Amino acid sequence: MRIEDYALIGDTRSAALVGRDGSIDWLCLPRFDSPSCFARLLGDESNGFWRLAPTGHERATRRAYAGETLILETVWETSTGTVKVIDFMPPRHTNPDLVRIVEGVSGTVGMTAEISIRFDYGRVVPWVRPVGDRLHAIGGPDSVWMRTPVPLEGDDYRRSGGFTVAAGERHTFVFAWQPSHLPEPVPMDPAEQLTETRLFWQEWVSRCRATGPWHDAVVRSLITLKALTYSPTGGIVAAPTTSLPEHIGGVRNWDYRYCWLRDAAMTLDALSRAGYVEEAGAWRTWLLRAVAGRPEDVQVMYGVAGERRLPEQTLDWLPGYEGSRPVRTGNDAVSQLQLDVYGQVAGCLYRARKQGLPTDDYAWATISKLMCFLERNWDQPDEGLWEVRGLRRHFVHSKVMTWVAAHHLVRAVEEFDLPAPVERWRAMRDRVHAEVCDKGFDPGRGTFTQSYGSRELDSALLLIPIVGFLPPDDPRVIGTIEAIQRELMTDGLLLRYPISERNHIDGLPGTEGVFLAGSFWLVEALALIGRKEEAVQLFERLLSLTNDVGLLSEEYDPVQKRQLGNFPQAFTHIHLIHAAQALS
C-alpha cells in the first residue's frame, strides 16, 4: 500500500499504522523507539502483521476517526452485509494494549483474522502457544498475550481463523505486550477501554482554543501532535516510523522516532498557541533533564526519555518500503552542530511564557547558559536544518535563528526583568543581523541565498519574515519569496533546495519529493506580504493532499501523486497549523 493508505492509532507512548486493507503493518512496543512487533511496512508479511477484514476483500469501503478522537473506524460494505472494525490503543495504565472490535452493522459478513508476530523489526520468530482463549507469544525480552474470540490455527510463523459476524454482534481482540519475565497482565474490559479512550480524547480536544475556517484540519493536526508525545516524560517524536523513503527506491531513509529539539519546540509552540500550556510545561521539564550538563554537550535530538546515545545502524534483513534501502535505526545526526535549534527553543519558551507558562528559575538559568555557548559559536559553520551529510556551511537560516535566540532572550529580560548580560546579547543580536544582511544576500539577484557566498536558494529562507528577522514589506523579503517561487517550485509545490547530480549540498545521492512544510511556509510568507488570495489557494491545495483521515507525511511526489517520507510527520502538521493561523 501507499504511505497515505495508513492511519494512525496510539496511546501517547507508542503508535501503530493501520492500512486500508485492515492490516496493522507497524507497531513498536512499549515505546515509539522500541523494536517492532509488526514490520510489514518495511518488508513483507514475513516481517509481521495483523489483519482483520472480510474474507476475499482487499480494501475497505471507507474509514474515519470517531469524531475528534484517535479511534479509527473502518467500514466494509460487502454483498452480504456491512461490517465495521474499531481500532484503538487505550490510555496506558500498566502494559500497552491494542484493541480491535469487529462490529456487525447489517446482514452477515464472513471475516478472516490473520496474525504473524515478529519481534525485533521482523527478525525474531517467537514461540507461540495457545493458553485457553489466549495466544502467548514469547521471544527474548518480549512477550504478547492475545485474547481472541476466534480459534487461530497455524504455527509460530502465522496463525489465522475465520468467523462470521451478524448485525449487532461484536467480536473483540486484544493484543497486550508485556516483558517476557513478567506474568500475564491483568485483562481489562475492552468496552470500558473504548469509553475511556473516547473520553480521553474528547476532554483533551475540549481545551482547544483554535478557531477559524479550517478548524477540522487544525484539530486533526493537534490530535496527531498529541499522539506523538511520550506522556511519561513530555518528549515529542518527529514521527512514529523509521525509513519511509523520501524517494522510492532511494537511500534517504531515516529514523524519526526521536525528540529533535527543533521539532519538539515547534510542536509545543503549536500546542501552546491552541491553549495547551500544560504540554508546554511538560516539555520544558523534559528539556531541562535532557540538556542538563555542559552547554557544549547539548545535542540536536534525544531519546524520548532523554537518552543521548542513538547510534545509527542498518537492518539488512529488511528489504525496505518498496525496496527502499537501507532501513535504519538510530540517527547519526545526533552529533551534528545545528545552530538553528537554539533559536527554536528560545522562541518557543518565550512564547509559552507569554501564553501563561509559569516562571522557572532553573529553566532561565539553563537557557542563559545555552545562550552563552551560542555567543561563542554562532559564527561557526554547521550542518543546518537539513542535517546535511556533506561539508559544514554558513547556512543563512542557521544564522537567522541565532538572531532569533538572542532577540527573544533580550525580550524576555526586558519584559520579565530577568538577570542576564543583556547588553552583550543585544550586541550579538545586532552583529548577527548585520552579517546575514551583508554575506547572506545576493544584491544582483535580489534574494537571500542558502549559505554565505552560494547561489542556491533554500525554502527555509521563507522563515525570514515569519520569525521577524525583517519586516514583510522589505524589498529583500519580497525578492526572496519571488525567487524561491521561480526556482524551487515544481507543480506548484516547494522543494527544500535544488537537488541534482551536480549539486551535492547534502552529501547524498538521488533526489526527493517536494517538502510539504516548505509549502506551508510559503502560505505564511504570501499572507504576510499581502497576497492572501494566492496563499489561500496554495493552502487549500495542500489540504487536498492529506489522506482520507487528515494525515500528511514529510514529502510528496507530484508526479506519482503520493506521499513520501516518515508518516505522519509532526513537522508538516505543525506548519499546517501555523499556516491556518496566519490565514485566519
Side-chain angles (χ1 to χ4, degrees):
M1 289 182 295
R2 291 190 170 195
I3 291 170
E4 60 266 30
D5 286 329
Y6 289 97
L8 178 77
I9 59 173
D11 62 0
T12 71
R13 297 192 186 197
S14 186
L17 294 188
V18 187
R20 287 178 187 262
D21 63 348
S23 180
I24 297 176
D25 291 344
W26 183 252
L27 173 65
C28 297
L29 293 174
R31 307 192 332 179
F32 291 106
D33 56 352
S34 298
S36 64
C37 301
F38 305 128
R40 186 170 80 160
L41 179 71
L42 300 176
D44 55 33
E45 291 185 351
S46 69
N47 301 122
F49 73 102
W50 180 16
R51 186 165 188 255
L52 279 174
T55 305
H57 289 260
E58 292 299 319
R59 293 170 70 89
T61 306
R62 62 183 180 276
R63 62 180 181 172
Y65 288 112
E68 293 175 334
T69 74
L70 208 62
I71 300 168
L72 182 67
E73 298 183 341
T74 305
V75 176
W76 279 267
E77 295 175 350
T78 75
S79 59
T80 61
T82 300
V83 66
K84 178 194 297 182
V85 176
I86 303 169
D87 291 316
F88 65 98
M89 295 177 69
R92 196 179 303 183
H93 299 289
T94 52
N95 60 286
D97 288 347
L98 193 158
V99 182
R100 312 194 77 180
I101 300 173
V102 182
E103 183 179 275
V105 178
S106 66
T108 302
V109 180
M111 300 287 293
T112 299
E114 295 179 276
I115 187 166
S116 176
I117 301 169
R118 293 290 183 273
F119 298 128
D120 196 21
Y121 302 106
R123 185 172 63 172
V124 174
V125 179
W127 175 47
V128 182
R129 63 189 177 98
V131 181
D133 65 345
R134 288 102 65 216
L135 288 179
H136 183 211
I138 186 169
D142 301 295
S143 75
V144 164
W145 291 86
M146 181 174 172
R147 281 185 285 150
T148 167
V150 178
L152 299 179
E153 305 296 335
D155 54 28
D156 290 342
Y157 293 93
R158 178 190 296 203
R159 294 195 171 234
S160 63
F163 62 101
T164 300
V165 59
E169 291 183 348
R170 276 191 168 191
H171 297 269
T172 301
F173 299 77
V174 179
F175 182 97
W177 181 92
Q178 183 84 318
S180 60
H181 66 279
L182 295 181
E184 179 181 3
V186 176
M188 306 291 287
D189 184 318
E192 292 180 1
Q193 288 180 305
L194 178 60
T195 299
E196 181 185 11
T197 305
R198 182 179 292 110
L199 291 175
F200 171 85
W201 288 107
Q202 289 175 344
E203 188 280 329
W204 189 82
V205 171
S206 71
R207 295 188 279 126
C208 178
R209 295 202 307 252
T211 59
W214 299 283
H215 177 80
D216 290 348
V218 168
V219 169
R220 179 51 53 192
S221 292
L222 288 168
I223 290 172
T224 303
L225 297 181
K226 175 64 174 177
L228 298 180
T229 302
Y230 186 67
S231 56
T233 66
I236 301 168
V237 298
T241 58
T242 178
S243 302
L244 290 179
E246 297 169 9
H247 176 73
I248 300 298
V251 301
R252 297 168 183 263
N253 318 318
W254 314 109
D255 193 349
Y256 278 14
R257 298 172 300 153
Y258 305 112
C259 303
W260 271 256
L261 295 188
R262 173 194 309 108
D263 299 45
M266 289 181 173
T267 298
L268 264 299
D269 220 358
L271 289 172
S272 61
R273 290 183 188 184
Y276 296 104
V277 178
E278 179 181 337
E279 281 77 5
W283 181 76
R284 182 177 68 181
T285 302
W286 173 89
L287 172 71
L288 296 177
R289 291 194 305 267
V291 305
R294 301 186 305 170
E296 57 266 32
D297 294 334
V298 169
Q299 300 177 178
V300 300
M301 76 181 84
Y302 297 86
V304 293
E307 296 89 348
R308 300 191 177 199
R309 293 182 64 251
L310 308 174
E312 186 173 302
Q313 55 186 320
T314 59
L315 309 184
D316 296 332
W317 62 89
L318 286 173
Y321 178 85
E322 293 192 20
S324 304
R325 304 181 72 174
V327 172
R328 294 180 173 94
T329 61
N331 200 307
D332 280 347
V334 69
S335 61
Q336 290 185 351
L337 177 64
Q338 298 174 21
L339 293 170
D340 68 292
V341 300
Y342 296 90
Q344 296 292 357
V345 170
C348 166
L349 292 178
Y350 169 79
R351 287 184 291 272
R353 188 162 184 167
K354 298 282 282 186
Q355 293 285 344
L357 185 65
T359 301
D360 186 299
D361 292 340
Y362 178 55
W364 177 250
T366 301
I367 197 70
S368 297
K369 288 181 180 178
L370 296 183
M371 184 61 194
C372 291
F373 171 80
L374 193 59
E375 282 186 276
R376 300 191 301 270
N377 292 277
W378 71 266
D379 57 353
Q380 299 299 307
D382 71 339
E383 281 88 1
L385 168 68
W386 306 128
E387 301 181 346
V388 299
R389 300 207 172 189
L391 295 175
R392 287 183 174 182
R393 298 168 185 259
H394 290 282
F395 288 105
V396 170
H397 170 259
S398 293
K399 305 303 185 190
V400 167
M401 294 309 296
T402 63
W403 175 90
V404 168
H407 174 67
H408 282 97
L409 289 179
V410 167
R411 290 184 65 179
V413 171
E414 295 171 344
E415 294 176 25
F416 306 123
D417 193 27
L418 297 168
V422 68
E423 291 303 326
R424 282 205 336 250
W425 292 356
R426 287 194 187 103
M428 173 198 152
R429 177 193 62 186
D430 296 343
R431 183 181 172 193
V432 173
H433 197 281
E435 181 177 293
V436 169
C437 292
D438 177 40
K439 297 182 179 180
F441 185 74
D442 182 342
R445 298 161 64 206
T447 181
F448 284 94
T449 59
Q450 184 179 54
S451 60
Y452 289 175
S454 73
R455 290 188 56 82
E456 292 88 1
L457 298 182
D458 190 321
S459 62
L461 298 170
L462 294 168
L463 294 169
I464 287 175
I466 295 171
V467 300
F469 183 83
L470 287 174
D473 59 355
D474 189 296
R476 292 167 294 183
V477 167
I478 296 172
T480 299
I481 294 171
E482 292 177 345
I484 286 173
Q485 285 184 292
R486 286 193 306 270
E487 298 187 26
L488 295 185
M489 295 285 275
T490 176
D491 194 29
L493 301 169
L494 275 188
L495 297 167
R496 292 192 295 174
Y497 45 81
I499 296 178
S500 68
E501 294 303 319
R502 295 171 299 177
N503 178 10
H504 298 292
I505 292 170
D506 56 21
L508 295 166
T511 61
E512 63 179 26
V514 295
F515 184 64
L516 292 173
S519 293
F520 284 117
W521 294 339
L522 181 57
V523 170
E524 286 194 75
L526 290 171
L528 283 172
I529 65 173
R531 290 158 58 176
K532 187 171 182 180
E533 182 177 348
E534 186 179 350
V536 170
Q537 289 176 353
L538 177 56
F539 186 70
E540 294 284 2
R541 165 98 188 276
L542 288 164
L543 289 186
S544 74
L545 303 182
T546 62
N547 72 354
D548 56 324
V549 291
L551 302 180
L552 286 167
S553 62
E554 183 178 21
E555 298 188 353
Y556 182 78
D557 183 341
V559 176
Q560 298 296 323
K561 312 293 184 187
R562 62 183 302 182
Q563 294 190 29
L564 297 171
N566 284 308
F567 173 90
Q569 172 80 349
F571 206 71
T572 306
H573 284 278
I574 290 163
H575 293 290
L576 183 158
I577 295 167
H578 287 174
Q581 291 170 337
L583 294 177
S584 299

